Amino acid sequence: MPKDPVCGKDIDESGARASTGQTAHGAAEVDPNMGTRSFHNGQWYYFCSMDCRTKFLASPNTYTG
Amino acid sequence: MDFAYTPEQQTLREEVRQFIAEYVTPEILAEVEESGVRSRGPKTREMYQKVADRGWIGISWPKEYGGQGGSRIDQYIVEEEFGRVGVEVGGAGSGAPAILAAGTEEQKKYFLPGLIRGEISFALGFTEPQAGADLAGLQCRAVRDGDEFVINGQKMYTTRAHSGSHIYLMARTDPEAPRHKGISIFLVPMETPGITVRPLWTIQNDPPAPRRTTYGDRRTNEVFFEDVHIPASCMLGEENTGWYVGALGLNLDRVGASRYLLSVQRDEDIINWVKENDMGGYGPSQDPAVRDRLAELWIEAQVCRLMTMRSMSLVERGGTFTYEGSAEKVWAPEHGVKTTETIAQILGAYGQLLSSSEDNIEGGVFAHNLMGAFQSGINHGSAQVMRDQVARRGLGMPRG
C-alpha cells in the first residue's frame, strides 16, 4: 500500500480516487475524508491530510529523495 | 458630471422592484437559504427564467449575443436590486466580460446566451495550493497535443466547482517562458473526463450562513485534473497571453453592484437595526458614539459607491481601466471590515449569536458576517497585491 510521503501513513489511493457522486454538471466528486493529493514533476502524490501536503509542497525534495 | 439616474433607469429600477415584490416570494427566499446562494433550486430556476425573459440577465451585453445592448448602469441597477434581497442573477462576475473582450466569435455565441439562460456558469480556476497571492507561480500544466491540450494539475478554493458547468482555468502552457508570459486561459466543461472535485467545508457551513452573509459560501473545493483532454478551441484569447486576459477579466468582473454590496450592505443593515431597536432602553440611536460611528460608515460607503460608479463610467466609455478596480478592491473590503468592527462594538455579545441560536439578531447575519468579512480583503486578489498594482499602474512605480 502506498504511503503518505510526509508522515508515512498508509494511503488508500483507490479510495482517495473513488467517485462518491457527481457535481451538478457531471464532474466526479471524492470523499474529503480520504485525504488529498498533488501533481508534482509529472507524478501524483497522495497525502492523508492537507497539513502533510502543505509540508510536502514547501520542500518536495525533502520527501521525494 | 451628472450623478443622477436617467428617467429610463429609474423606471427600470422600479420595474425590478415590482418584479421582486411579486416573484421573489418567501418560498424562493427559503429555497435560496436552503440551497445556498450559488446553487439554484427548482423554484429559483423558474424565477430566474422570468428574469431572463425580461431581458435583465446580461442587460448590458450586445444584442447579437442575447443581451439588450444596455449600459453598465442598467446592469448595476438590476444586480443591486436583486443583491439587496440576497438573490444572485448574474451579470458582472460571470466571466462574460472576459469572453466579450478576448473570446472568439464562436465562444461569444456559445457562452453568452448560455449564461443568460442560466445553463452555463463558471467556477474560477486560478488559485493553487502554492499560487494564491503569487498567482504567477501556478503549476497546473496544459500541454498541446495536436488539436488538443492535455491538462494535469490542481486548483484550490474553487468555490463554484460543484455547481458550475465550466471552469475558467488558468494553466501554464510554456514553462520555459517568464512566469507571467507562459500562461493561457481555457474554458473547460466540468463534465470532461479526468476532472475530480473534492469538497472543502467552510466555517459558514455548520450552522449554515444566512442568505446575504458576506462571503457566506458554505463550501469551496479542490479540483484535480488528471490527463484531461480538451480541444484547443477551449482557449480564451491567444496562447500564452492568459495572464493579461485573466487580469482584464478580473478587473472587469469587479465592476458592478456585487462587489459594492458585498462591502456596504452591512452598513445599511446595522443603521436600520439601530434605528428600529432600543435594546431594552439603551437607545443606541441616541448614543453620540454610535451616531458618530454610523455616520462615518455611511460617508465611507458613499466613497465605495462613487468608486464603483467611476469604474463603470470608465468601462462604459471604453477607457483604460487598470488600477482603478484595484483601488476599489482595497477600499471596499477594508471598509467592510471596519463596519464589522463597529457592529461588534454596538451589538456586543449579541452580535456573535449564529444562525442556529434562537436568540440571534437578524437570523445571525451579523455573526456570520463577522466570520466572512475578513475574507473579502483576501479573495480574488489580496489587498497587498491590489496596492502593488496601484503603485505600479497608478503611481508609475517599477515592479518590486
Side-chain angles (χ1 to χ4, degrees), chain B residues 260-274:
Chain B
Y260 166 69
L261 286 175
L262 199 61
S263 301
V264 305
Q265 210 164 18
R266 292 299 85 75
D267 295 349
E268 297 167 359
D269 288 347
I270 190 64
I271 288 168
N272 289 333
W273 191 89
V274 163

Side-chain angles (χ1 to χ4, degrees), chain B residues 79-396:
Chain B
E79 287 178 19
E80 182 179 21
E81 292 303 322
F82 280 98
R84 286 191 185 285
V85 292
V87 175
E88 190 180 81
V89 293
S94 64
I99 294 172
L100 277 166
T104 62
E105 194 60 23
E106 190 181 2
Q107 286 170 332
K108 291 175 191 174
K109 284 184 172 163
Y110 176 73
F111 284 107
L112 297 173
L115 283 163
I116 288 171
R117 290 193 300 270
E119 295 163 1
I120 291 175
S121 56
F122 287 103
L124 186 64
F126 283 13
T127 301
E128 297 181 9
Q130 282 191 301
D134 181 24
L135 186 59
L138 65 87
Q139 295 177 12
C140 184
R141 286 279 283 121
V143 179
R144 188 179 271 279
D145 182 13
D147 292 337
E148 292 187 329
F149 279 87
V150 182
I151 301 168
N152 276 288
Q154 66 187 95
K155 292 292 166 180
M156 183 90 169
Y157 302 128
T158 315
T159 302
R160 303 188 191 197
H162 60 288
S163 59
S165 66
H166 290 70
I167 185 164
Y168 185 96
L169 180 74
M170 192 178 258
R172 189 163 297 287
T173 38
D174 184 356
E176 306 303 321
R179 293 196 327 155
H180 297 80
K181 297 187 175 176
I183 290 170
S184 301
I185 300 245
F186 300 90
L187 307 175
V188 183
M190 287 300 295
E191 63 189 4
T192 311
I195 298 179
T196 305
V197 175
R198 177 175 182 256
L200 300 172
W201 301 104
T202 79
I203 53 173
Q204 304 287 17
N205 182 54
D206 187 14
R211 193 170 43 83
R212 299 169 72 244
T213 298
T214 303
Y215 277 98
D217 290 306
R218 302 171 200 169
R219 172 181 173 173
T220 183
N221 304 279
E222 288 191 281
V223 185
F224 304 111
F225 298 84
E226 191 169 358
D227 291 329
V228 175
H229 289 251
I230 55 168
S233 59
C234 288
M235 185 181 287
L236 179 66
E238 299 294 316
E239 189 168 347
N240 297 323
T241 64
W243 181 258
Y244 309 100
V245 174
L248 173 71
L250 277 181
N251 262 334
L252 291 173
D253 264 356
R254 289 187 188 117
V255 181
S258 301
R259 165 68 51 193
Y260 166 69
L261 286 175
L262 199 61
S263 301
V264 305
Q265 210 164 18
R266 292 299 85 75
D267 295 349
E268 297 167 359
D269 288 347
I270 190 64
I271 288 168
N272 289 333
W273 191 89
V274 163
K275 285 161 71 178
E276 292 166 5
N277 291 275
D278 80 350
M279 290 184 77
Y282 160 55
S285 64
Q286 295 163 17
D287 183 327
V290 171
R291 293 160 66 101
D292 183 85
R293 294 295 296 266
L294 293 184
E296 186 176 336
L297 289 181
W298 183 86
I299 292 164
E300 284 193 4
Q302 303 317 300
V303 178
C304 293
R305 180 174 176 276
L306 290 173
M307 290 176 103
T308 301
M309 294 293 166
R310 181 184 65 162
S311 296
M312 285 193 296
S313 172
L314 278 167
V315 172
E316 191 74 16
R317 287 180 283 127
T320 306
F321 181 73
T322 52
Y323 66 90
E324 295 88 351
S326 304
E328 190 182 325
K329 176 69 176 63
V330 172
W331 177 266
E334 291 188 353
H335 167 73
V337 170
K338 186 172 173 181
T339 301
T340 302
E341 290 169 353
T342 298
I343 292 172
Q345 288 173 359
I346 292 173
L347 297 181
Y350 287 112
Q352 296 179 33
L353 300 179
L354 294 166
S355 63
S356 53
S357 170
E358 292 170 355
D359 298 305
N360 67 39
I361 296 175
E362 302 291 326
V365 71
F366 290 123
H368 284 268
N369 179 64
L370 188 64
M371 299 191 287
F374 296 92
Q375 197 65 25
S376 65
I378 300 167
N379 287 21
H380 293 226
S382 71
Q384 291 77 15
V385 171
M386 295 297 108
R387 283 197 177 90
D388 185 60
Q389 290 180 359
V390 170
R392 285 191 289 114
R393 295 173 178 158
L395 306 181

